[in-house]
mmCIF file of all heavy atoms in Angstrom:
data_model
loop_
_atom_site.group_PDB
_atom_site.id
_atom_site.type_symbol
_atom_site.label_atom_id
_atom_site.label_comp_id
_atom_site.label_asym_id
_atom_site.label_seq_id
_atom_site.Cartn_x
_atom_site.Cartn_y
_atom_site.Cartn_z
ATOM 1 N N ILE V 23 -1.474 31.246 21.527
ATOM 2 C CA ILE V 23 -2.461 31.133 20.522
ATOM 3 C C ILE V 23 -2.917 29.695 20.724
ATOM 4 O O ILE V 23 -2.083 28.834 20.839
ATOM 5 C CB ILE V 23 -2.149 31.291 19.136
ATOM 6 C CG1 ILE V 23 -1.717 32.660 18.896
ATOM 7 C CG2 ILE V 23 -3.217 30.901 18.180
ATOM 8 C CD1 ILE V 23 -2.817 33.762 18.738
ATOM 9 N N LEU V 34 -20.125 9.267 0.093
ATOM 10 C CA LEU V 34 -20.748 8.219 -0.681
ATOM 11 C C LEU V 34 -19.796 7.843 -1.687
ATOM 12 O O LEU V 34 -19.043 8.817 -2.409
ATOM 13 C CB LEU V 34 -22.094 8.678 -1.401
ATOM 14 C CG LEU V 34 -23.278 9.083 -0.544
ATOM 15 C CD1 LEU V 34 -24.292 9.458 -1.465
ATOM 16 C CD2 LEU V 34 -23.666 7.890 0.361
ATOM 17 N N GLY V 73 -8.275 14.520 19.130
ATOM 18 C CA GLY V 73 -9.183 14.178 20.262
ATOM 19 C C GLY V 73 -9.350 15.129 21.366
ATOM 20 O O GLY V 73 -9.294 16.400 21.112
ATOM 21 N N PRO V 93 15.127 32.251 18.004
ATOM 22 C CA PRO V 93 14.237 33.468 17.778
ATOM 23 C C PRO V 93 13.732 33.409 16.352
ATOM 24 O O PRO V 93 14.317 32.971 15.351
ATOM 25 C CB PRO V 93 15.248 34.631 17.889
ATOM 26 C CG PRO V 93 16.423 34.094 18.747
ATOM 27 C CD PRO V 93 16.548 32.698 18.374
ATOM 28 N N VAL V 187 -14.306 9.546 -19.222
ATOM 29 C CA VAL V 187 -14.609 10.885 -19.243
ATOM 30 C C VAL V 187 -14.889 11.444 -17.798
ATOM 31 O O VAL V 187 -15.054 10.601 -16.875
ATOM 32 C CB VAL V 187 -15.689 11.437 -20.069
ATOM 33 C CG1 VAL V 187 -15.400 11.117 -21.581
ATOM 34 C CG2 VAL V 187 -17.017 10.793 -19.682
ATOM 35 N N TRP V 188 -14.954 12.735 -17.435
ATOM 36 C CA TRP V 188 -15.116 13.225 -16.050
ATOM 37 C C TRP V 188 -15.997 14.432 -16.060
ATOM 38 O O TRP V 188 -15.965 15.272 -16.974
ATOM 39 C CB TRP V 188 -13.725 13.513 -15.538
ATOM 40 C CG TRP V 188 -13.818 14.049 -14.091
ATOM 41 C CD1 TRP V 188 -13.546 13.363 -12.943
ATOM 42 C CD2 TRP V 188 -13.648 15.471 -13.777
ATOM 43 N NE1 TRP V 188 -13.484 14.119 -11.939
ATOM 44 C CE2 TRP V 188 -13.627 15.508 -12.306
ATOM 45 C CE3 TRP V 188 -13.795 16.660 -14.372
ATOM 46 C CZ2 TRP V 188 -13.548 16.741 -11.628
ATOM 47 C CZ3 TRP V 188 -13.887 17.874 -13.654
ATOM 48 C CH2 TRP V 188 -13.724 17.831 -12.217
ATOM 49 N N GLY V 213 -20.314 10.138 -25.654
ATOM 50 C CA GLY V 213 -20.663 10.305 -27.028
ATOM 51 C C GLY V 213 -19.595 10.832 -28.032
ATOM 52 O O GLY V 213 -19.245 10.230 -29.006
ATOM 53 N N ALA V 248 5.499 37.105 -1.386
ATOM 54 C CA ALA V 248 6.212 38.483 -1.772
ATOM 55 C C ALA V 248 7.721 38.137 -1.401
ATOM 56 O O ALA V 248 8.580 38.826 -2.092
ATOM 57 C CB ALA V 248 5.658 39.571 -0.906
ATOM 58 N N ALA V 310 -7.002 39.863 9.878
ATOM 59 C CA ALA V 310 -8.096 39.987 8.907
ATOM 60 C C ALA V 310 -7.678 39.557 7.416
ATOM 61 O O ALA V 310 -6.471 39.870 7.086
ATOM 62 C CB ALA V 310 -8.635 41.459 8.854
ATOM 63 N N THR V 336 8.328 47.703 4.011
ATOM 64 C CA THR V 336 7.342 48.932 4.075
ATOM 65 C C THR V 336 6.339 48.730 2.920
ATOM 66 O O THR V 336 5.930 49.730 2.381
ATOM 67 C CB THR V 336 8.144 50.114 3.794
ATOM 68 O OG1 THR V 336 8.752 50.123 2.448
ATOM 69 C CG2 THR V 336 9.242 50.329 4.801
ATOM 70 N N THR V 422 -3.334 34.250 -23.656
ATOM 71 C CA THR V 422 -4.662 34.011 -23.887
ATOM 72 C C THR V 422 -5.463 35.092 -24.727
ATOM 73 O O THR V 422 -5.336 36.232 -24.450
ATOM 74 C CB THR V 422 -5.416 33.788 -22.396
ATOM 75 O OG1 THR V 422 -4.888 32.738 -21.672
ATOM 76 C CG2 THR V 422 -6.896 33.726 -22.590
ATOM 77 N N ASP V 438 -8.254 18.052 -3.073
ATOM 78 C CA ASP V 438 -8.006 17.443 -1.782
ATOM 79 C C ASP V 438 -7.680 18.725 -0.948
ATOM 80 O O ASP V 438 -7.790 18.554 0.344
ATOM 81 C CB ASP V 438 -6.860 16.505 -1.846
ATOM 82 C CG ASP V 438 -7.329 15.110 -2.249
ATOM 83 O OD1 ASP V 438 -8.600 14.925 -2.303
ATOM 84 O OD2 ASP V 438 -6.461 14.252 -2.685
#
Side-chain angles (χ1 to χ4, degrees):
I23 296 282
L34 302 175
V187 303
W188 180 91
T336 65
T422 295
D438 282 342

